[in-house]
Amino acid sequence: MLPKGTVHLQLPGLNRICRRLRIDCAQAITGFEYRSAGGCQAVYDGFVVCEEFRDRVLDEWYREQVELQEKEDERRRKRIYGNWRRLIMGLCIRKKLKDRYNFDNM
């Protein structure tokens, strides 16, 4: 049950965005998990945010996801180009050594 004027958002990392925007949010407890030892533990799933901040928080979360995807793509691109560069440099060195020392078995 949610307090009046709040919404339940199930997005990972939402608390970090709310902290950056200086918006209050709280972890949502959706139930309890009972263990075999007789104890119970709260199950957290998402965050509770005021309804008036919902659109602002969602927009910022989607913007951050786009930025993270762009950074991941750039990291991947750098790794790909680095691997190709290493391969080409190795082939150039191999060719120079072969030309200089006349290796027949290569």
Side-chain angles (χ1 to χ4, degrees):
M1 296 178 63
L2 290 172
K4 290 182 182 179
T6 61
V7 291
H8 180 223
L9 301 175
Q10 295 175 313
L11 301 172
L14 199 65
N15 59 341
R16 183 176 63 246
I17 292 169
C18 288
R19 199 172 348 157
R20 186 174 353 130
L21 295 175
R22 297 176 189 249
I23 296 173
D24 289 334
C25 76
Q27 283 187 325
I29 298 176
T30 57
F32 292 94
E33 183 178 277
Y34 296 95
R35 302 283 175 149
S36 61
C40 70
Q41 185 175 7
V43 176
Y44 296 101
D45 185 29
F47 297 90
V48 177
V49 179
C50 289
E51 198 170 315
E52 60 195 45
F53 299 121
R54 177 183 182 196
D55 294 333
R56 191 168 146 201
V57 169
L58 288 176
D59 289 342
E60 187 65 28
W61 186 82
Y62 285 120
R63 189 176 305 127
E64 183 177 289
Q65 294 304 309
V66 169
E67 289 175 8
L68 288 175
Q69 184 64 36
E70 289 173 356
K71 286 180 184 180
E72 182 63 33
D73 290 344
E74 182 63 30
R75 249 182 276 149
R76 184 174 178 267
R77 217 175 291 119
K78 276 185 175 182
R79 193 180 80 229
I80 289 170
Y81 289 141
N83 288 344
W84 275 106
R85 184 176 184 273
R86 190 178 321 149
L87 175 69
I88 292 170
M89 293 297 290
L91 291 174
C92 289
I93 292 171
R94 186 175 181 175
K95 184 177 180 341
K96 284 180 187 178
L97 288 174
K98 184 178 179 182
D99 291 345
R100 180 178 290 170
Y101 298 111
N102 294 328
F103 290 135
D104 292 333
N105 59 0
M106 294 184 114

